Amino acid sequence: MSKIDIGRRILSENEKYALDNGRLLSEGGKLCLNMISSPGSGKTTILVRTITELKEKIGIGVIEGDIQTDIDAERIRATEAPVVQINTEGGCHLNAAQVAGALKGLPMDKLDLIMIENVGNLVCPSAFELGENGKVVVLSVAEGDDKPAKYPAIFAKSKVLLINKIDLLTKGAAEDFDIERVKTDARRLNKEIRIFQISAKTGEGMSGWYDWLTEFVRNRQSQRA
Amino acid sequence: MHETMVAQNLLAAISREAAKHNAKPVAARISCGTLYAVNDELLRFAFEAIARDTPCEGVRLEIEHKRVQGRCRSCNETFDVELSDPRCRACAAEDFELLPDPPLVLEQIELRTE
């Protein structure tokens, strides 16, 4: 028997694609956010509302990741924003090679911002860099206020936390949802995380998120000017 | 279960290294950061499944978890972050910078030399 020291990064292929994606985006002056959450937290509804209401200010393109179907892409298409659907055929997260392919299908010269909606899953997507400038984690109040404590990785790695479906806070099971607990737990791991309480259905609280997003894009553009 | 993709990449890395030495791999030691949330049992299960009928069949995996580190903004100490109670190990301050998670690394392989 012989032992050989290797010291090789196991996900180097994904990392290489992620670097290439990041380079392609930054050379074109584009920003990219990777949205991660459990299934059903409202990622697509947030995107649809955001695209519709910021249409005049920011050119947004979308990469949709789902195990199967193009239901989400159809919803995005209805806003007239360009969208590419990736079906992972069972895969529980997107990888950077899939995103590299999808970026080729977007009309980049018309876009300021690419939003990637990852496969609904609070664990796996957080382990794979896609070449994004930041992660946005979405948590809906129906999921319970213990999620930052139970799934710390994604809250530790995200730039923004959107607490969605706040219109349900006065209803049924979500009445017990303690927003302060979520904010405290998320901030214990991540001092810089920006938190917005929103309802993508009613529009409540969305303006704070829009201001952040607009600023995020404007900062990038002024850096390049 | 992102362990599947980790297993695929690991299998490729071990196979490549073993081929260089023209020898059968029997064991591999890997390390990974806490935030990758790699579950040992799932990784072994996925690896076994895809290694069947390949030169990596039967390779024993040793998995070392490396805690993500933090740097305290009060006393400047660098420490292992306990995710369920994130605070400085030295002074108990809660204000710290979370350092990048240690990457997934194939540290060592063991080859059968005839």
Side-chain angles (χ1 to χ4, degrees):
Chain A
M1 299 286 175
S2 67
K3 290 183 175 177
I4 299 167
D5 289 332
I6 309 286
R8 184 190 162 84
R9 291 168 82 111
I10 295 166
L11 296 180
S12 56
E13 194 182 322
N14 189 71
E15 287 160 3
K16 182 188 148 302
Y17 275 103
L19 272 175
D20 288 348
N21 292 345
R23 202 173 300 130
L24 177 78
L25 290 161
S26 93
E27 280 169 7
K30 318 295 174 195
L31 282 164
C32 177
L33 292 171
N34 180 5
M35 280 179 102
I36 296 175
S37 78
S38 310
S41 68
K43 291 186 295 303
T44 315
T45 307
I46 292 169
L47 281 175
V48 166
R49 190 158 195 135
T50 303
I51 291 165
T52 309
E53 297 190 338
L54 292 183
K55 212 176 245 176
E56 309 301 320
K57 287 185 177 170
I58 309 177
I60 302 178
V62 179
I63 295 173
E64 278 291 343
D66 282 292
I67 288 178
Q68 56 182 33
T69 80
D70 65 347
I71 295 170
D72 284 357
E74 279 302 316
R75 290 175 63 194
I76 300 295
R77 218 164 271 136
T79 70
E80 296 173 3
V83 56
V84 174
Q85 176 80 52
I86 298 171
N87 282 145
T88 61
E89 312 291 347
C92 52
H93 58 89
L94 291 177
N95 64 54
Q98 292 167 324
V99 170
L103 284 171
K104 293 196 181 104
L106 287 174
M108 296 296 267
D109 49 337
K110 294 188 182 134
L111 304 175
D112 305 304
L113 173 68
I114 288 89
M115 297 293 290
I116 301 172
E117 180 178 338
N118 218 311
V119 179
N121 181 320
L122 215 41
V123 183
C124 308
S126 71
F128 296 88
E129 293 298 320
L130 304 177
E132 72 271 23
N133 302 95
K135 295 178 175 54
V136 174
V137 57
V138 181
L139 174 67
S140 69
V141 302
E143 295 163 53
D145 52 24
D146 53 5
K147 294 303 168 289
K150 283 185 175 172
Y151 301 88
I154 185 57
F155 293 90
K157 290 180 180 179
S158 293
K159 257 192 190 354
V160 174
L161 162 59
L162 298 176
I163 304 176
N164 192 28
K165 307 191 188 180
I166 55 167
D167 53 304
L168 295 180
L169 279 174
T170 53
K171 290 174 188 156
E175 272 181 33
D176 300 329
F177 186 89
D178 182 349
I179 282 201
E180 291 311 314
R181 177 183 181 193
V182 170
K183 290 183 181 169
T184 304
D185 286 352
R187 288 198 175 115
R188 286 187 77 185
L189 291 164
N190 183 345
K191 298 288 175 291
E192 285 81 32
I193 196 165
R194 296 295 307 268
I195 304 177
F196 301 101
Q197 298 165 212
I198 62 168
S199 165
K201 191 176 175 71
T202 66
E204 191 181 348
M206 292 294 280
S207 61
W209 156 242
Y210 294 158
D211 289 348
W212 181 86
L213 206 54
T214 312
E215 191 66 23
F216 184 62
V217 171
R218 198 182 296 142
N219 277 344
R220 165 53 60 100
Q221 287 168 344
S222 65
Q223 273 169 26
R224 285 173 58 84
Chain B
M1 168 142 162
H2 55 305
E3 286 81 358
T4 312
M5 190 167 164
V6 174
Q8 285 166 349
N9 284 274
L10 178 59
L11 182 94
I14 297 172
S15 304
R16 200 161 29 227
E17 296 299 335
K20 277 188 207 164
H21 297 87
N22 204 17
K24 159 95 179 83
V26 290
R29 182 159 59 78
I30 72 167
S31 65
C32 65
T34 331
L35 297 184
Y36 278 99
V38 166
N39 177 291
D40 293 4
E41 202 182 334
L42 289 178
L43 180 58
R44 289 200 175 96
F45 176 78
F47 186 85
E48 263 175 49
I50 59 170
R52 203 162 296 143
D53 299 326
T54 78
C56 284
E57 183 162 356
V59 164
R60 224 171 43 248
L61 293 185
E62 189 188 323
I63 305 160
E64 179 198 354
H65 293 270
K66 290 190 173 169
R67 281 200 177 277
V68 63
Q69 297 214 305
R71 187 180 297 121
C72 181
R73 289 203 175 98
S74 299
C75 72
N76 222 18
E77 179 83 5
T78 301
F79 61 96
D80 288 352
V81 176
E82 176 59 61
L83 291 173
S84 60
D85 185 22
R87 62 177 73 240
C88 174
R89 284 271 186 86
C91 75
E94 289 193 12
D95 189 13
F96 64 89
E97 178 195 357
L98 196 71
L99 299 174
D101 201 26
L104 276 153
V105 175
L106 172 59
E107 300 281 0
Q108 192 184 59
I109 58 173
E110 197 175 326
L111 300 172
R112 183 185 299 145
T113 41
E114 311 282 332

